[in-house]
Structure formats: structure tokens, C-alpha cells
Amino acid sequence: MTEQTELRHIGIIMDGNGRWAKQRGQLRTQGHLEGIKAAKRVVKAASDLGVPYLTLYTFSTENWKRAEEEVGFVMGLVKKHLRGELDFYRENGIRVRHAGSREGLPSDILDELDGVCADTEGFTGLQVIIALNYGGRDEIVRAVRKLSAAGKAVTEANIALYLDNPDVPEPDLIIRTAGEFRTSNFLLWGGAYAEYYISDKMWPDWAEDDLAQAVRDYRSRQRRFGDAK
């Protein structure tokens, strides 16, 4: 694998759960339930492909605007599946981490999040970053605030040190499902030079072959990072 096609970190905007359910005459909540199943398939596929890092856009800072019933259902799914999949994480050596603001998250969700992060901290395979209560702008603002509190100069290098997971490499590939062409406030800092792959498939329909196709497409590209060569 050449330097230009090195793939260390994939970010996924898991879009289309609600539309998937609506097309089938089902409640939006059913779409989120199927989306959880798709996430597990894709995590396993990423692990099998040897991808070191995978960030899943699970719940944004803007998603709180949705109906209270839907928000509650999503949070319930997150709580149920975070530590409920511990055997799956152990079998595949998957470490779970968090990106996003802790402020505003319910205490029971934080307990589950902290628990699964601690339980899997020693696993050495794929690192799955759960972007929960996450917004790209919010991450940058929080980083600058921490930087200012530390009394350090505002530079690109210093801001990067105060992001949510400064040891995680910037995403090489960002995937968005359901045919949408928006960044939606996802990994704005780290994804500045990421390659984008847009899939028309709704997220609940995603499977192992879809991730493999996205990776093949990525590896066919030449990344220039602003260079003219």
C-alpha cells in the first residue's frame, strides 16, 4: 500500500435511518434499531480489513432538536448496546472510545460510556470512536478553551493537541450514506483533507461489501494535500 493510499482512519456519517423506516411504513425508531445492526456489521468489516480507527457519527449536538420520543429512543439504544456488546468487542479486540461533549449527556449514558471505554481500554485491535453529542464546531471551541486555560499560544499544532482524541490520526476517508452531500458538522478540523465517499444506500442497508467498495474506491485515488503533482 502506497503512502498516498494509506488508510488509518475512516469516519462514517450514518445517514438515512428515518427515511429507511418511512419508506417501509414503519416508525423512525425502527430505522434506528436497524441502523445499530448495520453499525455492528460495518465495525466487524472494518476490523477484518485491518483498519486501525473508525469514527461513527452516532448523535450530533444538533440532534437534540428532534422529537423527544426519538431522542429518548436513540439514547436508550446507545445505553443498551454500549456495554451489551462487550463480548463482541472482546472477541474482536475492539477498543471503544468517545468523541463529543460530556455536557448535556444523561448520567446513565455517561456511566455506560465510561464503563465500556474502561472495559475495552486494553484491547489492541480496531479503535471505534463513538461520536456522541458531537459537533465539529463544538470540538474546536472546546479545544480552544482548554488551550486558553493552559495559557498556550493559539496555533494549529496546539489546537490539535486539545481535540477530543489528539492521539487519533486525522480521518483519511469519510463516508456518508443515503446520498447526501453535506459534512453536517462532522470532524471539521481533522477532516480538512479527508477523501469523501457518498453512497446512495440508506445506512440500515449497509453491509460488509459496501465498506469494502468504499475502501477500494479510496485506494484508487491519489491524495495531493494541496500539492500540484
Side-chain angles (χ1 to χ4, degrees):
M1 184 163 51
T2 68
E3 181 181 352
Q4 292 161 321
T5 57
E6 182 180 12
L7 183 55
R8 298 178 299 168
H9 183 184
I10 298 174
I12 304 181
I13 303 172
M14 306 179 291
D15 201 6
N17 290 343
R19 277 171 286 166
W20 181 94
K22 185 177 180 181
Q23 287 175 358
R24 290 158 178 77
Q26 300 173 354
L27 296 174
R28 288 176 60 87
T29 50
Q30 184 62 32
H32 292 305
L33 183 59
E34 294 300 321
I36 286 283
K37 297 176 184 178
K40 186 174 180 178
R41 292 193 297 268
V42 171
V43 165
K44 180 63 166 65
S47 177
D48 291 345
L49 286 170
V51 176
Y53 301 90
L54 175 69
T55 297
L56 299 177
Y57 204 9
T58 306
F59 190 89
S60 77
T61 50
E62 290 73 38
N63 286 156
W64 296 105
K65 301 173 185 177
R66 296 187 176 183
E68 185 177 348
E69 179 185 0
E70 182 177 354
V71 170
F73 185 84
V74 171
M75 287 295 163
L77 281 179
V78 170
K79 180 180 178 180
K80 177 181 178 181
H81 288 274
L82 273 173
R83 297 180 82 178
E85 296 291 350
L86 186 57
D87 287 343
F88 171 72
Y89 304 142
R90 184 182 294 109
E91 290 167 8
N92 293 280
I94 294 168
R95 179 184 177 187
V96 178
R97 303 176 68 174
H98 174 236
S101 176
R102 295 175 63 87
E103 186 176 346
L105 283 173
S107 59
D108 57 339
I109 299 296
L110 285 173
D111 288 344
E112 290 299 310
L113 193 59
D114 291 343
V116 74
C117 289
D119 290 343
T120 63
E121 187 175 9
F123 296 167
T124 58
L126 169 68
Q127 296 193 27
V128 176
I129 298 98
I130 305 297
L132 185 70
N133 197 24
Y134 176 86
R137 289 179 176 179
D138 180 67
E139 180 182 26
I140 294 168
V141 168
R142 287 187 287 105
V144 172
R145 285 175 177 167
K146 288 183 282 188
L147 183 65
S148 177
K152 295 187 178 180
V154 178
T155 65
E156 284 193 22
N158 283 344
I159 290 173
L161 289 174
Y162 284 89
L163 296 175
D164 289 342
N165 295 291
D167 60 310
V168 173
E170 295 182 349
D172 302 295
L173 172 64
I174 294 178
I175 296 167
R176 179 156 195 160
T177 60
E180 299 293 345
F181 289 79
R182 295 187 300 276
T183 59
S184 292
N185 203 16
F186 181 56
L187 300 179
L188 296 183
W189 183 276
Y193 276 98
E195 297 290 319
Y196 270 77
Y197 178 86
I198 308 299
S199 168
D200 288 333
K201 270 192 177 182
M202 302 291 184
W203 176 247
D205 289 328
W206 257 58
E208 295 84 350
D209 289 347
D210 296 296
L211 182 67
Q213 175 58 40
V215 169
R216 285 194 296 270
D217 181 271
Y218 167 81
R219 286 181 172 156
S220 71
R221 306 182 190 184
Q222 183 179 27
R223 305 181 72 190
R224 294 183 175 85
F225 298 97
D227 198 336
K229 62 182 178 181

